[in-house]
Amino acid sequence: MSHARIFQKPKSSMSSGRSGTDRWVLEFQPTEAKRPDPLTGWAGSGDTRGQVSLSFPTLAAAQAYADRHGITARVIPPPERVLKLQAYADNFR
């Protein structure tokens, strides 16, 4: 049985744009712990599903994919957007 999480990507902190934040992403949970490679020292594991990230236009499509393939998916709701309204003149007070 595979486990995954479904979530919406957050807005990039490096930009004010919201491009790509309307898509839903399905990512698999790791099945084994990462361990250091004896030669390079880099962390890794034999679980290749950690490299897979699937993108869907709607939450329903992501859930339908998970159900169709027998994946137990946990939906993480998107954070509520908080608008900070301020005028340009507030910078000089």
Side-chain angles (χ1 to χ4, degrees), residues 3-46:
H3 297 283
R5 64 184 182 130
I6 299 173
F7 64 96
Q8 273 187 316
K9 287 183 13 176
K11 179 183 83 63
S12 170
S13 61
M14 302 300 291
S15 166
S16 63
R18 300 192 53 81
S19 177
T21 59
D22 57 337
R23 311 269 310 163
W24 288 86
V25 178
L26 183 140
E27 286 184 349
F28 291 97
Q29 298 295 325
T31 57
E32 62 182 61
K34 291 188 176 188
R35 58 192 181 282
D37 182 59
L39 181 63
T40 62
W42 295 353
S45 71

Side-chain angles (χ1 to χ4, degrees), residues 43-87:
S45 71
D47 182 20
T48 58
R49 289 183 304 166
Q51 302 170 6
V52 177
S53 177
L54 302 173
S55 179
F56 298 92
T58 63
L59 174 60
Q63 288 177 325
Y65 178 87
D67 292 340
R68 189 169 53 247
H69 293 283
I71 300 168
T72 304
R74 179 174 49 104
V75 177
I76 300 172
E80 193 171 315
R81 287 178 55 188
V82 178
L83 298 177
K84 181 180 173 187
L85 301 175
Q86 80 181 46

